Amino acid sequence: MFLFLEWILNLHYWFTCSSTVGISVVGTKCLIFAILVNYAVEVMKTGHNSGLGLSDWISTALGRPFLYSSTIPVIWMLKTIKRVSISRESSSWIPKLHISRATHTERASDRFDSQTPKIYIVMAYAVLGILLAACNHFDIYTVYLFNSAVGLPSYFLGQSLQIILNFRCKTFSGTYRLGPWFMFFGVILTMVQHIPNLFDHYNIDSGWSFPTFIELLLAGILAGQAATYPPASQQEDSDAE
């Protein structure tokens, strides 16, 4: 329930977001990549479990709304970080895409975001990928390993880069301030479900995992920042390149 509410808030945030001030563009790209990898894994898992052919796999990828839902935020995330706006002239019914130039405050935010050397980002991604793949308890030939080694590191890295930018700017951005709290309590409830003696069923194969602890840690840090820092201003200034 909490994770679903966090997803709704996140979707609305990106749908209404009109500025990259306070938003880690690199971190957002990592999150987009992680979402797409997770979507690909879900499609492969569904197709593999059902023994589908190639054409059925394609129809599964394009025709399953519950799989589509995870990718919906990607459209608006790309719109925001690429500064794309949609307009329609009164003389034409065809909408037009317009790419805005970065404002002064957006350029200042980008400079803070670029202070993290790319080599550090690549190294962190590689280390996370190795650790998460090593902690994967599924068969090494399954799609779960692919998600652990490729998708999850990108997701955690994206969250971490946003945390770093929040710290540098002393503002909170990347989602609504309630979002991290929903995520935090959602992860807590997920972990509680695997505590024996509290529930009738306890599956030791799906107990507390290393990725779960990382997600809880990142959600806790973001929740703390949401409670401490003011939200980044989304008001557009007129100074553009």
Side-chain angles (χ1 to χ4, degrees):
M1 180 63 180
F2 283 109
L3 295 179
F4 175 73
L5 291 175
E6 190 269 336
W7 180 84
I8 293 295
L9 282 178
N10 193 48
L11 179 62
H12 186 270
Y13 175 85
W14 288 109
F15 180 76
T16 58
C17 188
S18 59
S19 173
T20 59
V21 175
I23 294 176
S24 173
V25 175
V26 178
T28 302
K29 291 178 180 178
C30 290
L31 293 176
I32 291 173
F33 179 71
I35 292 173
L36 294 178
V37 168
N38 183 68
Y39 175 69
V41 166
E42 290 297 324
V43 171
M44 289 188 290
K45 183 175 65 175
T46 302
H48 181 268
N49 293 340
S50 304
L52 302 178
L54 179 60
S55 60
D56 294 325
W57 278 50
I58 296 175
S59 63
T60 298
L62 299 179
R64 295 291 182 90
F66 71 91
L67 290 178
Y68 254 135
S69 63
S70 63
T71 63
I72 292 175
V74 168
I75 301 172
W76 309 114
M77 293 165 80
L78 284 172
K79 176 190 73 70
T80 300
I81 64 175
K82 294 300 182 181
R83 302 182 177 92
V84 176
S85 60
I86 302 175
S87 61
R88 186 175 66 87
E89 298 179 356
S90 57
S91 59
S92 174
W93 60 272
I94 301 177
K96 294 183 178 180
L97 298 180
H98 175 70
I99 300 179
S100 304
R101 295 178 178 178
T103 64
H104 172 73
T105 51
E106 286 176 327
R107 295 196 300 272
S109 177
D110 290 343
R111 284 193 292 270
F112 277 118
D113 192 27
S114 62
Q115 287 180 4
T116 304
K118 291 183 179 180
I119 185 63
Y120 289 174
I121 297 176
V122 173
M123 290 174 60
Y125 180 80
V127 171
L128 276 173
I130 294 172
L131 288 176
L132 292 171
C135 293
N136 188 293
H137 62 278
F138 295 98
D139 186 272
I140 62 173
Y141 296 106
T142 65
V143 293
Y144 295 102
L145 179 62
F146 176 75
N147 192 38
S148 296
V150 179
L152 279 178
S154 185
Y155 172 76
F156 292 145
L157 187 59
Q159 295 278 40
S160 300
L161 290 173
Q162 184 60 57
I163 288 173
I164 293 172
L165 184 60
N166 289 343
F167 177 77
R168 288 172 177 164
C169 296
K170 296 297 185 289
T171 58
F172 182 80
S173 192
T175 186
Y176 289 122
R177 300 173 77 179
L178 273 178
W181 290 101
F182 284 145
M183 183 190 302
F184 182 79
F185 288 117
V187 176
I188 288 290
L189 288 180
T190 300
M191 297 176 70
V192 167
Q193 292 175 9
H194 299 293
I195 298 178
N197 301 325
L198 292 182
F199 295 86
D200 294 335
H201 177 69
Y202 175 63
N203 184 359
I204 193 171
D205 291 333
S206 59
W208 296 354
S209 64
F210 180 57
T212 302
F213 280 108
I214 296 180
E215 188 172 14
L216 181 66
L217 175 63
L218 294 177
I221 295 175
L222 282 169
Q225 289 185 334
T228 305
Y229 297 146
S233 174
Q234 288 291 310
Q235 294 182 353
E236 299 181 4
D237 55 43
S238 58
D239 180 15
E241 290 182 326

